[in-house]
Amino acid sequence: MRVRVDFDSCDSNGLCAAEAPTVFEVRDDDFLYVLQENPPQELWPEVTRAANACPKFAITLEER
Ligand code: SF4
């Protein structure tokens, strides 16, 4: 799985980071960072929850 974020849509509310903190992080500069673009399979459930939690539909999960 590859994680894509539409940073133009993201408003850095951190909801994805709350679901998957080892994959998404909102830093002090108020930007979202993707820590793992290709998260291991054990993280897929929480990454999926993070994508579903995004109110801006900014997170896309691509099959690889
Ligand atoms: S949940 Fe969506 S809008 Fe919020 S920080 Fe994550 S990608 Fe950005």
Side-chain angles (χ1 to χ4, degrees), residues 2-39:
R2 177 181 288 272
V3 177
R4 298 258 187 228
V5 174
D6 176 0
F7 290 100
D8 291 333
S9 297
C10 173
D11 67 2
S12 298
N13 56 43
L15 294 175
C16 54
E19 294 290 345
T22 64
V23 177
F24 302 98
E25 182 177 70
V26 177
R27 296 191 182 155
D28 291 343
D29 60 10
D30 219 26
F31 286 108
L32 174 69
Y33 290 81
V34 178
L35 307 178
Q36 302 185 71
E37 279 204 336
N38 301 293

Side-chain angles (χ1 to χ4, degrees), residues 28-61:
D28 291 343
D29 60 10
D30 219 26
F31 286 108
L32 174 69
Y33 290 81
V34 178
L35 307 178
Q36 302 185 71
E37 279 204 336
N38 301 293
Q41 192 163 3
E42 63 264 26
L43 293 179
W44 292 3
E46 62 188 77
V47 171
T48 301
R49 285 200 300 276
N52 291 336
C54 179
K56 309 293 281 187
F57 305 105
I59 300 172
T60 305
L61 305 179

